[in-house]
Amino acid sequence: MVVALGIGLLLCLLEGGEAAVSALGTPAGGRPGGWQQAAAASAVLAGCWAAVVAVTAMLPSSWLPTAGALLVLLAGLQWLARAMLRLLRAGALPAAAPAERTVFAVLLGAGAEALVVCSALAAAARAPVAGWALGAVLLVGTSVAVALTGRRMLPVLPERAAKTALAIALTGAGAAGSGWPSHCLAVAVVAVVTVAVLRLRTASAVPPATAGGLRGFLLGDTAASWPAVAAFAALTALLGEAWRLPLLAALVAAVLLTVTRPRRPGRGTAPVTG
């Protein structure tokens, strides 16, 4: 529970700060229109929150911890894959210019991501999903509101390091069983495999690009995490708890090696985002 609370708080702080910086960095961020867009995004997020609460209320309570843990694992793998691509590309290719996004887009994107992951964390930890989900939305929204009120550019966040660390923590939390020792071991396994793949790919491969946004989540390279999570769930149920950590190591290695596989020159894709 303490692990989940800490991860959820860090997620909201990171997403809220990043959204605030992005909102101020867009043309709409410095004009009164930013408030109208923020209000519209907040209304959409409120609807998303109500939908999440309604869906979790309809599900059998015995399903929630398992479903929440698998969703956390999926989100962690998605973040971890993108963090790996950012780390690899940082040393070899020039950074792509950030796309200009409206306040509506940055607030809705950050709020939805925090809403989904914190709801999943709450379900996995058997905590009230409604409270966690609402807290995630309010924390992200408050960060953007403060930024729009002050009209000052915040310091650039250490996005690569922060998101990589949080992705490792999320992946470990989603794959771990119950108890603090299992969480620590799972996070350690994910960290070791991540560093090993990073060193391997840095020495031997050209960093690829991948599609971002919803298209990348569903259809891009990071979509390899979907069948990987399904295989992890099936094999863990079949083989038992003793195989959880070896399966986790194999899962993370398979996804990261697939995502960072070498590409032929000239094969164009969209730059890594998110």
Side-chain angles (χ1 to χ4, degrees), residues 51-61 64:
V52 167
V53 173
V55 169
T56 54
M58 290 187 293
L59 291 176
S61 58
L64 288 179

Side-chain angles (χ1 to χ4, degrees), residues 143-249:
S143 299
V144 176
V146 170
L148 291 175
T149 302
R151 305 291 187 194
R152 284 185 291 183
M153 196 65 173
L154 300 177
V156 177
L157 295 175
E159 179 182 313
R160 285 194 296 270
K163 279 205 168 183
T164 302
L166 189 51
I168 290 172
L170 277 176
T171 307
S178 58
W180 175 260
S182 62
H183 279 83
C184 293
L185 286 173
V187 170
V189 166
V190 176
V192 168
V193 174
T194 301
V195 171
V197 174
L198 180 61
R199 289 182 64 87
L200 172 67
R201 289 309 198 201
T202 300
S204 63
V206 176
T210 186
L214 182 62
R215 177 176 173 272
F217 184 78
L218 295 175
L219 302 174
D221 286 332
T222 54
S225 56
W226 289 85
V229 169
F232 176 82
L235 289 173
T236 302
L238 181 65
L239 299 176
E241 292 293 318
W243 288 89
R244 184 179 293 271
L245 291 179
L247 287 172
L248 174 62

